[in-house]
């Protein structure tokens, strides 16, 4: 039956279209809701249609009598609380509408709410009816209609608060009654069971429950609606510090011990929400923690107070244990990661000391491994140095605790020094020096092989739980595997370092033309050898070749390529090839290795007789030159592609460098990284060189006066302060600090140039023809006499005569003769022919072919090199031994600059010709 059929007398009153829509909505959605959902839906539709402030639905309570709220919409809790429970004697609109079974309108109350007695007549009340137990907001009234079931039973009331001075109109009243009829289908009165009254009179358990409540250790309090104590068991009275006669009937919040517990605040929340509330609190005057639970009951409140100190302590211990276990698991995870990343044995020992000792509260660690049949201590932590020396002086086989762990292949745990001494009396003499009070002896077994042992020491006696033992045993396996890997790495790393040292020069040669020093920095990661290399090669005519290169990549194949290139450079340099031709041959060599091999190279030749530096580069970082005044610059030249990717010819560059300058050759690993580009790295290199090479200021020189001419001795001494070795160290410390990790190897070669003294060089242009040999012998004899080298006159005459004679006979002139008085006596004969002379074995009947054999027999070294104008044949003779050789040798070379400055000089400088 629809709501329209329930109200035939209202059929003549038409309700609005929106009201009918709301009724249809309620009818379609009601069956899908449960609990108080349908009631709240209807109440919300009524409030919305009437434009009311809010609404509520009361239900009749046959057990307790009166009415109570079951649903409210749009009203605050404090307002509903005044209407929550209504008695049958109340004159409030919900009670009156049920009593008179009709709609009741209560107009807006006056400023001061008042109550009136219910009317005696049977007519429905109208006009000034007080809201009864509830209060209304100023300016608002309430209209209530009874909720009547289909069988005519009044089960409740539906009320809405409206802000209107007059009663609802007829259409609104009809709609409100229809909604109430629809609510009646879902609002059923609670019918008490037949035994409920018996349970009220006699609670379940009877006297047993009362006795248990009275004897329980927890406090139990009962409050009425005004928060007055109506019951308190002995435990609660003890907490209050009062007797039953003093406490009962008093307001609980008046007790001093209750004010600071927070129960008063929770009481207000329980009253407002009618839901239980519990919280933990401290009880004034008592140690520990208490839990208070406030439960609402129909006539008040029940408070249960329990001592939870022990429970909180157990919870704290459990939380601490969980946190400790979590930290231990975290540390173990960190240890596993650290062991996986550890490369060397020292890395493993450090990881164990940092990651294993703290989680277990350990303070000491000793690790010993078997290497080549001998025990070696590879690491320790926390033990006194005196004790470590004692342990190392005793054979492992004489320490029974270690022997037991190694023999049984199982860990040994000793909780106290007394237990240690009792089981292993051999350690009594030195045990007290360890400073430890408990020990765990862990055998290290990897791949079923014993590789050593590890001892974890504790500064206090310790009981080892099963969890401790299991973790330490598992850790010993991880540590053993990590140490075995680290040992293999150390062995491979040692072999790699030996290979690297074997491929690089053991020491640079000592040459008069330059003073050189070099540094090599391997990459910080991995054991792969690098491809960076450098070399210093003596050439003829006191010239010197400085070479540096970098094979791209890391590994044994790259190292082998580096060794082949270095050997090839030595061979090609001995052939006196110019820099561009030498790089062309190297390019062919690298190209033959395959498409995956590339290398860079910078080849430089310095001539102390002319101060010319001739160089060629194949994809290598540019040469850096430090002038004698400390300024640094990079010659601006175009770089050719790397070896293996280049197409010859390479370009040769010449530059004049002042004597006392520094030639700086380096690889890209020194100036370039993932965070620094090469331009920034070169700028940093120039700054480091300038800072380290700048001459110290003379504090005695006047600040405003013009500088006096430099004293040669002073200049030499000042330059000596900035030797290549010092510059190398300064550059490395600036560009690659000790704490920095480099991902590429780097090489650095620095050479300080020296010039040959002018009076130790002499050259002549000889006449073209047979007379040239006579002229050459005469010039050579005179000059050797001037240099006090008469002992070499005879052999020099023969050498000069033979070399000049070859030019006259086989080459084209005019020939040119140059003598250099350096560490040896050098004779050079130049001509304009590109024909290469070669030594051959002459037959007994041959008239010629013995000239070069004679040259080879009379000289210590001899050879030929091509020049820009032809070729040059040269010989070297050792100087006669004299007591003043050291002073004579220093006079042949100038180690200091005669002036500052320098720059790129595009014109080739030739030796100055001398005359008769």
């Amino acid at each position: 039956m629809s709501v329209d059929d329930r109200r035939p007398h209202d059929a003549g009153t038409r309700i609005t279209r929106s009201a009918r829509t709301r009724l249809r909505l309620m009818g379609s959605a009601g069956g899908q809701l449960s609990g108080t959902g349908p009631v709240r839906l209807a109440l919300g539709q009524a409030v919305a249609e009437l434009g009311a402030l809010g609404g509520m639905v009361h239900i009749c309570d046959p057990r307790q009598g009166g009415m109570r709220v079951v649903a409210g919409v749009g009203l605050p809790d404090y307002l509903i609380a005044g209407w929550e429970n209504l008695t049958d004697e109340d004159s409030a609109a919900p009670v009156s509408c049920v009593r008179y079974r009709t709609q009741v309108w209560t107009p807006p109350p006056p400023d001061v709410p008042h109550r009136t007695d219910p009317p005696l007549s049977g007519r429905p009340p109208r006009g000034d009816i007080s809201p009864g137990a509830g209060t209304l907001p100023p300016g608002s009234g309430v209209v209530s209609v009874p909720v009547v079931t289909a069988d005519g039973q009044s089960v409740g009331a539906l009320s809405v608060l409206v802000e209107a001075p007059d009663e609802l109109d007829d259409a609104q009243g009809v709609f409100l009654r229809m909604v109430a009829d629809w609510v009646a289908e879902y609002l059923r009165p609670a019918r008490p069971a037949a035994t409920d009254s018996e349970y009220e009179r006699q609670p379940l358990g009877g006297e047993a429950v009362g006795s248990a409540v009275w004897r329980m250790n927890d406090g139990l309090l009962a409050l009425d609606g005004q928060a007055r104590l109506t019951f308190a068991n002995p435990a609660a009275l003890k907490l209050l510090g009062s007797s039953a006669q003093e406490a009962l009937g008093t307001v609980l919040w008046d007790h001093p011990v209750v004010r600071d517990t927070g129960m008063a605040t929770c009481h207000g929340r329980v009253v407002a929400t009618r839901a239980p509330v519990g919280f933990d609190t401290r009880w004034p005057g008592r140690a520990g923690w208490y839990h208070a639970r406030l439960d609402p009951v129909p006539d008040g409140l029940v408070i249960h107070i329990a001592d939870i100190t022990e429970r909180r302590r157990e919870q704290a211990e459990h939380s601490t244990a969980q946190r400790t276990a979590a930290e231990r698991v975290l540390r173990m995870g960190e240890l596993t990661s650290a062991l996986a990343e550890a490369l060397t044995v020292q890395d493993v020992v450090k990881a164990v000391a940092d990651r294993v000792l703290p989680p277990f509260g350990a303070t000491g660690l000793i690790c010993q491994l078997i290497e080549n049949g001998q025990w070696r201590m590879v690491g320790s932590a926390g033990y006194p140095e005196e004790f470590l020396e004692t342990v190392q002086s005793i054979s492992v086989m004489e320490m029974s605790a270690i022997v037991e762990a190694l023999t049984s292949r199982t860990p040994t745990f000793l909780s106290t020094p007394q237990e240690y001494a009792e089981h292993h009396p051999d350690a009594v003499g030195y045990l007290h020096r360890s400073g430890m009070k408990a020990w765990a002896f862990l055998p290290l077994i990897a791949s079923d092989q014993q590789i050593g042992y590890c001892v974890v020491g504790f500064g206090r006696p310790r009981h080892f739980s099963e969890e401790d033992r299991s973790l330490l045993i598992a850790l010993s396996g991880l540590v053993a595997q990590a140490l075995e890997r680290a040992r293999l790495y150390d062995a491979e790393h040692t072999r790699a370092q030996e290979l690297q040292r074997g491929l690089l020069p053991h020491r640079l040669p000592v040459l008069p033309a330059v003073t050189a020093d070099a540094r090599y920095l391997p990459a910080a990661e991995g054991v792969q050898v690098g491809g960076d290399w450098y070399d210093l090669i003596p050439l003829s005519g006191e010239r010197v070749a400085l070479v540096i290169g970098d094979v791209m990549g890391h590994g044994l194949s790259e190292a082998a390529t580096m060794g082949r290139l270095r050997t090839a450079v030595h061979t090609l340099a001995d052939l006196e090839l110019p820099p561009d031709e030498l790089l062309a041959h190297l390019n062919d060599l690298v190209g033959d290795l395959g498409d995956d091999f590339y290398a860079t190279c910078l080849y430089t030749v310095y001539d102390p007789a002319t101060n010319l530096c001739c160089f060629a580069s194949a994809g290598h970082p540019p040469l850096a030159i430090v002038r004698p005044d400390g300024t640094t610059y990079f010659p601006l030249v175009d770089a050719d592609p790397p070896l293996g990717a280049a197409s010859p010819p390479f370009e040769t560059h010449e530059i004049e460098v002042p004597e006392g300058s520094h030639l700086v050759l380096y690889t890209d690993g020194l100036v370039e990284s993932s965070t620094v580009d090469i331009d920034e790295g070169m700028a940093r290199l120039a700054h480091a060189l300038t800072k380290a090479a700048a001459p110290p200021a003379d504090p005695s020189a006047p600040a405003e006066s013009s500088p006096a001419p430099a004293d040669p001795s002073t200049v030499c001494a000042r330059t000596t302060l900035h030797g290549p070795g010092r510059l190398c160290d300064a550059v490395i410390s600036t560009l690659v600090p000790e704490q920095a990790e480099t991902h590429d190897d780097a090489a650095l070669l620095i050479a300080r140039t020296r010039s040959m003294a002018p009076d130790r060089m002499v050259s002549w242009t000889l006449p073209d023809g047979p007379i040239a040999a006579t002229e050459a012998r005469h010039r050579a004899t005179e000059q050797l006499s001037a240099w006090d080298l008469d002992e070499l006159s005879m052999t020099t005459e023969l050498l000069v005569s033979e070399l000049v004679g070859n030019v006259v006979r086989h080459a084209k002139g005019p020939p040119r003769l140059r003598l250099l008085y350096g560490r040896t006596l050098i004779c050079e004969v130049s001509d304009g022919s590109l024909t290469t002379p070669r030594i051959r074995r002459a037959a007994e009947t041959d008239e010629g072919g013995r000239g070069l054999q004679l040259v080879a027999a009379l000289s210590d070294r001899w050879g030929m090199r091509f020049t820009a104008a032809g070729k040059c044949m040269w010989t070297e003779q050792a100087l006669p031994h004299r007591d003043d050789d050291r002073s004579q040798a220093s006079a042949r070379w100038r180690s200091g600059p005669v002036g500052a400055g320098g720059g790129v000089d595009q014109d080739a400088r030739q030796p100055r010709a001398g005359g008769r």
Side-chain angles (χ1 to χ4, degrees):
M1 183 171 61
S2 67
V3 293
D4 293 335
D5 298 335
R6 294 272 306 275
R7 296 284 178 179
H9 58 279
D10 293 333
T13 303
R14 299 189 61 179
I15 61 177
T16 64
R17 178 179 297 177
S18 63
R20 292 189 178 278
T21 302
R22 295 181 187 278
L23 291 173
R24 286 195 295 271
L25 177 64
M26 292 161 47
S28 62
Q32 304 176 12
L33 303 176
S34 60
T36 60
V39 178
R40 293 181 180 275
L41 173 63
L43 190 59
Q45 296 297 331
V47 170
E49 176 64 22
L50 301 179
L53 301 176
M56 50 191 156
V57 173
H58 287 78
I59 187 173
C60 298
D61 189 349
R63 289 181 55 189
Q64 302 289 337
M67 304 176 69
R68 57 185 175 85
V69 173
V70 294
V73 171
L75 300 177
D77 292 342
Y78 75 88
L79 188 61
I80 293 181
W83 296 79
E84 186 166 9
N85 292 291
L86 302 176
T87 64
D88 292 337
E89 292 79 18
D90 208 314
S91 61
V95 178
S96 298
C97 77
V98 172
R99 180 184 303 143
Y100 299 109
R101 300 174 66 85
T102 187
Q103 175 179 322
V104 175
W105 160 248
T106 301
D111 294 338
V112 180
H114 61 278
R115 297 175 63 91
T116 59
D117 295 331
L120 299 177
S121 65
R123 296 179 58 83
R126 298 183 60 87
D128 187 16
I129 297 181
S130 170
T135 58
L136 294 174
S140 63
V142 61
V143 58
S144 300
V145 294
V147 178
V148 182
T149 62
D151 56 2
Q153 182 182 3
S154 296
V155 294
L158 186 150
S159 307
V160 292
L161 273 69
V162 295
E163 191 175 11
D166 300 323
E167 191 174 358
L168 302 180
D169 59 27
D170 293 341
Q172 292 174 330
V174 170
F175 171 73
L176 190 62
R177 289 191 292 274
M178 288 181 175
V179 173
D181 293 341
W182 187 85
V183 170
E185 297 296 327
Y186 299 94
L187 200 64
R188 300 295 182 183
R191 298 183 178 277
T195 57
D196 283 351
S197 58
E198 298 178 6
Y199 289 152
E200 289 180 359
R201 293 190 300 270
Q202 182 63 43
L204 183 63
E207 295 182 359
V209 174
S211 176
V213 170
W214 191 256
R215 297 177 183 276
M216 65 188 302
N217 294 327
D218 297 343
L220 195 65
L221 301 170
L223 307 182
D224 62 10
Q226 285 73 38
R228 293 189 296 265
L229 276 171
T230 59
F231 174 81
N233 68 349
L237 293 173
K238 188 175 181 180
L239 291 173
L240 295 176
S242 303
S243 63
Q245 292 77 10
E246 296 172 343
L248 294 179
T250 62
V251 177
L252 181 62
W253 325 128
D254 292 340
H255 290 266
V257 294
V258 180
R259 294 189 189 125
D260 298 332
T261 60
M263 274 195 281
T265 303
C266 292
H267 173 264
R269 191 158 68 248
V270 172
V271 171
T273 62
R274 304 302 296 174
V277 174
F279 63 97
D280 293 348
T281 182
R282 292 278 192 178
W283 197 269
R286 291 178 177 271
W289 286 85
Y290 290 81
H291 179 78
R293 177 182 172 88
L294 288 72
D295 290 280
V297 294
D299 55 351
L301 197 71
V302 174
I303 302 176
H304 176 215
I305 305 172
D307 187 348
I308 60 171
T309 303
E310 187 65 22
R311 187 199 313 168
R312 285 180 69 101
R313 184 186 65 79
E314 293 176 355
Q315 291 176 348
E317 291 178 354
H318 182 66
S319 299
T320 302
Q322 286 184 326
R323 186 166 54 253
T324 302
E327 290 179 357
R328 182 175 294 179
V329 171
L330 178 62
R331 291 291 185 92
M332 294 305 102
E334 293 175 350
L335 172 64
T336 303
S337 300
L339 291 178
E341 296 174 359
L343 293 178
T344 66
V345 172
Q346 294 302 319
D347 293 339
V348 174
V349 174
K350 185 177 185 303
V352 174
D354 294 342
R355 308 289 184 178
V356 174
L357 301 189
F360 289 94
T363 56
L365 175 70
I366 292 178
C367 284
Q368 279 198 318
L369 300 181
I370 304 175
E371 294 184 357
N372 299 323
Q374 301 294 325
W375 288 93
R376 183 174 72 91
M377 185 176 294
V378 296
S380 63
Y383 280 92
E385 192 65 29
E386 178 185 3
F387 177 76
L388 296 177
E389 294 176 356
T390 302
V391 170
Q392 289 179 313
S393 64
I394 303 174
S395 172
V396 172
M397 295 298 102
E398 296 178 2
M399 293 183 280
S400 59
I402 298 175
V403 172
E404 178 182 337
L406 294 176
T407 304
S408 63
R409 299 170 69 94
T410 58
T412 300
F413 300 94
L414 301 173
S415 300
T416 62
Q418 293 76 15
E419 183 181 0
Y420 196 143
E422 180 181 350
H423 289 82
H424 307 283
D426 57 286
V428 174
Y430 58 84
L431 184 61
H432 63 281
R433 303 178 188 173
S434 67
M436 302 298 164
K437 304 299 181 182
W439 297 264
F441 293 87
L442 309 174
L444 299 178
I445 302 174
S447 302
D448 203 32
Q449 297 293 324
Q450 286 189 353
I451 64 172
Y453 71 89
C454 178
V455 180
V456 179
F458 300 83
R460 294 183 298 177
R462 178 187 181 92
H463 169 69
F464 293 94
S465 63
E466 289 299 324
E467 182 182 5
D468 292 340
R469 295 171 184 255
S470 299
L471 282 174
L472 287 172
I473 293 173
L475 287 175
S476 66
L478 291 176
V479 173
Q481 296 292 338
L483 284 172
E484 183 66 11
R485 291 195 307 269
R487 287 206 304 177
L488 296 176
Y489 169 85
D490 285 344
E492 185 178 355
H493 185 62
T494 301
R495 288 193 295 267
Q497 287 183 327
E498 292 176 352
L499 175 62
Q500 189 77 65
R501 286 193 295 266
L503 293 174
L504 291 175
H506 294 284
R507 63 179 61 86
L508 295 177
V510 178
L511 303 174
V514 295
T515 303
D517 209 338
R519 298 290 186 271
Y520 174 78
L521 280 76
E525 292 186 355
V527 300
Q528 298 292 331
V529 294
D532 291 12
W533 57 282
Y534 58 87
D535 217 332
L536 188 68
I537 305 172
L539 302 177
S540 63
E542 297 293 2
R543 297 173 307 132
V544 60
L546 298 92
V547 59
I548 194 167
D550 182 6
V551 178
M552 297 182 185
H554 296 83
L556 294 179
S557 60
E558 284 76 8
T561 302
M562 180 261 283
R564 297 174 66 179
L565 290 180
R566 180 167 175 253
T567 303
V569 168
H570 265 275
T571 302
L572 296 172
D574 287 341
L575 295 177
E576 301 282 358
L577 294 180
D580 56 339
E581 293 186 24
L582 185 142
L583 291 185
H585 286 286
L586 286 182
N587 184 68
D588 294 338
L589 175 61
V590 175
D592 292 340
L593 297 176
D595 296 335
D596 296 333
F597 286 90
Y598 298 96
T600 64
C601 184
L602 174 62
Y603 184 80
T604 305
V605 176
Y606 171 69
D607 189 349
T610 61
N611 289 348
L612 284 180
C613 180
C614 180
F615 63 92
S617 174
H620 202 81
L623 172 71
I625 299 178
V626 184
R627 299 186 181 98
D629 63 353
T631 58
T632 303
Y633 72 100
F634 301 92
L636 299 177
V637 296
D638 295 331
D640 288 309
L643 301 175
S647 297
F650 293 89
E651 186 175 358
T652 300
H653 310 278
E654 279 189 350
I655 187 171
E656 183 179 1
V657 293
E659 50 187 310
S661 300
H662 290 85
L663 304 179
V664 182
L665 292 77
Y666 52 94
T667 58
D668 59 351
L670 189 67
V671 295
E672 188 178 19
S673 67
S674 59
T675 58
V676 179
D677 59 39
I678 190 168
D679 292 332
E680 180 184 353
M682 290 172 59
R684 294 174 57 190
L685 172 63
H687 177 74
L689 289 170
T690 299
K691 182 178 179 181
D698 186 0
S700 63
E704 301 296 335
S705 62
S706 300
D711 181 4
S713 62
T714 304
V715 174
C716 293
R718 179 177 296 180
T719 306
T720 305
L721 291 175
H722 309 288
R726 179 170 176 262
L727 286 183
C728 287
D729 294 337
V731 169
I732 295 300
S733 62
T734 301
L735 300 186
V736 189
E738 292 183 2
Q739 66 274 16
E741 291 190 358
T742 57
H743 300 276
D744 191 12
D745 52 343
L748 176 65
L749 174 63
I750 299 180
R752 180 162 58 88
T753 63
R754 301 175 68 186
S755 299
M756 183 172 284
D759 60 345
R760 301 297 175 173
M761 303 180 293
V762 62
S763 63
W764 304 273
T765 301
L766 302 175
D768 192 5
I771 195 175
T774 303
E775 181 75 14
R777 288 193 297 269
H778 176 70
R779 294 290 186 180
T781 302
E782 283 186 349
Q783 189 61 48
L784 291 181
S785 178
W787 284 341
D788 196 18
L789 295 176
D790 297 313
E791 297 95 328
L792 300 179
S793 294
M794 182 177 295
T795 56
T796 303
E797 284 186 26
L798 291 173
L799 291 172
V800 168
S801 179
E802 184 61 36
L803 294 177
V804 173
N806 280 341
V807 173
V808 173
R809 184 175 181 181
H810 301 290
K812 60 181 180 180
R816 186 178 183 84
L817 173 63
R818 185 170 75 156
L819 298 180
L820 301 177
Y821 182 14
R823 55 176 178 162
T824 61
L825 178 62
I826 301 174
C827 300
E828 296 181 350
V829 176
S830 304
D831 61 72
S833 173
L834 296 177
T835 303
T836 303
R838 58 187 179 88
I839 190 170
R840 64 184 178 87
R841 183 180 298 275
E844 294 181 357
T845 58
D846 291 343
E847 295 182 359
R850 296 176 177 83
L852 291 182
Q853 292 183 10
L854 180 62
V855 170
L858 295 177
S859 62
D860 295 318
R861 293 177 65 223
W862 72 279
M864 185 278 295
R865 68 175 181 269
F866 289 103
T867 64
K871 68 175 182 296
C872 172
M873 296 292 298
W874 57 268
T875 65
E876 289 186 6
Q877 301 176 71
L879 300 177
H881 178 71
R882 294 174 183 173
D883 295 338
D884 58 346
D885 276 350
R886 183 180 298 271
S887 61
Q888 294 259 351
S890 62
R892 299 172 208 140
W893 296 89
R894 297 188 300 187
S895 57
V898 295
V904 178
D905 186 355
Q906 301 294 342
D907 299 328
R909 295 286 299 274
Q910 297 295 334
R912 179 172 300 176
R916 286 181 179 269

